[in-house]
């Protein structure tokens, strides 16, 4: 078989599989949008329309516009977070597993809980930074919650993010007394989650979370380190896994998006270079 017939055969198989697999979940009211399950995909035209009010803006005006676009999302309960993470963070090559944030390990969806060897719900914006706990709101916002190995989650604790420290054996991570450095594979993901939280939560009856150039932020509603996070945003670009989880959260759970996944350049437009 030459390469042309291989490609043509694969294309026919893909199209046949595609029509079988995806037809049942396309919403009747909007042929551009697939609305159900972990396959949820948002069309580019929907994404473009979503950010239209922010067009041409920079700095504080862009931040305010993005806040207006993403606020008032549908909040989920802390218990529902378990169910949602099994979809948003599903292993692309094993439907029975999720991928842990810091270890990158594929682990059974059902191995969730609080024991050694299990995965639990990591608040990437450490919930003590603003002391918002696990009640509905920032404590259950799926855009910054990820499956994590229980022991590694505890080791990260409430540390700010920065480069440096000594190797932590539980993952390809470094830490010292005031900061945690995750593997490069997720450095950008983490930066974009922190940026989202700073824009989503702006006071007005809710907490106001902000990025900070400092580490050691204690219980202040601040998360660092901004210059490192801006560098990580560029070092680890958005990939298919991150886009997919953004789409699933938008389509199925919260009805809002992380602007920094759709437009990583917004970070520079707001916080500078
Ligand atoms: Ca440090
Ligand atoms: Ca990444
Ligand atoms: Ca804020």
């Amino acid at each position: 078989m030459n390469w042309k017939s291989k490609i043509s055969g694969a294309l026919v198989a893909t199209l046949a599989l595609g029509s079988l697999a995806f037809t049942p979940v396309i919403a009747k009211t909007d042929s551009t949008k697939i609305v159900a399950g972990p396959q949820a995909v948002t069309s580019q035209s929907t994404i473009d329309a979503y950010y239209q009010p922010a067009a041409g803006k920079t700095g504080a005006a862009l931040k305010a516009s993005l806040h207006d676009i993403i606020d008032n999302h549908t909040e989920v309960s802390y218990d529902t977070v378990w169910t949602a993470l099994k979809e948003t963070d599903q292993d692309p090559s094993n439907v029975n597993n999720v991928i842990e944030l810091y270890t990158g390990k594929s682990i059974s969806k059902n191995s969730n809980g609080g024991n050694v060897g299990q995965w639990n719900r990591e608040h990437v914006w450490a919930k003590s930074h603003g002391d918002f706990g696990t009640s509905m709101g920032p404590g259950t916002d799926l855009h910054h919650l990820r499956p994590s190995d229980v022991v590694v989650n505890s080791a990260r604790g409430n540390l700010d993010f920065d480069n440096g420290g000594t190797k932590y054996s539980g993952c390809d991570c470094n830490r010292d007394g005031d900061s945690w450095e995750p593997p490069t594979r997720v450095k950008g993901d983490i930066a974009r989650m922190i940026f989202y939280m700073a824009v989503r939560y702006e006071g007005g009856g809710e907490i106001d979370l902000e990025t900070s150039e400092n580490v050691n932020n204690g219980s202040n509603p601040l998360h660092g380190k901004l210059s490192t996070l801006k560098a990580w945003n560029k070092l680890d670009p958005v990939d298919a896994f991150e886009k997919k989880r953004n789409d699933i959260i938008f389509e199925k759970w919260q009805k809002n998006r992380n602007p920094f996944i759709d437009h990583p350049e917004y970070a520079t437009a707001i916080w500078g270079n």
Side-chain angles (χ1 to χ4, degrees):
M1 190 185 277
N2 65 29
W3 66 270
K4 277 186 186 166
S5 58
K6 270 187 191 166
I7 287 175
S8 135
L11 184 60
V12 168
T14 302
L15 289 172
L17 183 64
S19 60
L20 279 174
F22 292 112
T23 301
V25 294
I26 292 174
K28 287 192 176 102
T29 51
D30 180 357
S31 62
T32 65
K33 198 157 54 170
I34 296 170
V35 293
Q39 302 91 345
V41 171
T42 310
S43 72
Q44 191 58 50
S45 61
T46 299
I47 295 173
D48 291 346
Y50 187 79
Y51 294 106
Q52 204 285 325
K57 292 178 175 155
T58 59
L62 175 59
K63 186 163 177 260
S65 179
L66 292 176
H67 171 75
D68 284 344
I69 293 168
I70 67 177
D71 70 352
N72 298 321
H73 71 267
T74 302
E75 295 175 351
V76 301
S77 72
Y78 198 46
D79 195 48
T80 299
V81 169
W82 288 122
T83 310
L85 290 184
K86 290 174 185 178
E87 295 186 357
T88 55
D89 292 76
Q90 180 176 295
D91 181 344
S93 55
N94 185 346
V95 298
N96 298 313
N97 286 15
V98 292
I99 301 287
E100 292 176 346
L101 179 65
Y102 301 120
T103 66
K105 194 176 116 188
S106 179
I107 183 170
S108 170
K109 289 178 177 177
N110 296 326
S111 294
N112 60 314
N115 299 320
V116 173
Q118 294 185 313
W119 64 273
N120 63 5
R121 297 159 291 186
E122 158 74 334
H123 290 79
V124 172
W125 183 293
K127 59 187 188 296
S128 66
H129 293 222
D131 200 22
F132 51 72
T134 60
S135 53
M136 284 168 73
T140 65
D141 194 321
L142 295 168
H143 281 296
H144 84 118
L145 289 161
R146 288 287 196 98
S148 171
D149 175 86
V150 165
V151 174
V152 177
N153 189 342
S154 172
R156 184 263 160 147
N158 59 6
L159 292 171
D160 288 276
F161 296 105
D162 196 7
N163 294 313
T166 55
K167 173 91 169 73
Y168 168 71
S169 62
C171 51
D172 187 17
C173 307
N174 295 308
R175 69 170 168 177
D176 60 19
D178 59 26
S179 64
W180 176 260
E181 180 183 0
T184 297
R185 172 180 53 77
V186 293
K187 278 178 173 154
D189 304 47
I190 285 165
R192 291 180 282 275
M193 288 189 268
I194 297 295
F195 297 154
Y196 163 88
M197 294 295 278
V199 171
R200 169 61 190 83
Y201 298 98
E202 293 281 52
E206 295 180 314
I207 195 166
D208 183 5
L209 305 176
E210 284 303 323
T211 57
S212 168
E213 192 51 30
N214 298 321
V215 290
N216 262 332
N217 284 302
S219 62
N220 295 316
L222 302 171
H223 224 297
K225 178 182 178 182
L226 178 57
S227 58
T228 301
L229 295 169
K230 287 195 290 186
W232 288 359
N233 182 39
K234 293 176 179 170
L235 179 70
D236 170 38
V238 176
D239 67 11
F241 188 90
E242 222 181 328
K243 281 183 186 165
K244 187 176 179 185
R245 83 183 306 279
N246 198 23
D247 286 352
I248 294 169
I249 294 169
F250 174 64
E251 300 286 350
K252 180 157 184 189
W253 298 102
Q254 296 192 172
K255 310 300 175 197
N256 73 338
R257 305 185 66 81
N258 180 338
F260 302 97
I261 293 174
D262 295 318
H263 290 280
E265 75 281 6
Y266 282 167
T268 307
I270 293 172
W271 289 289
N273 254 315

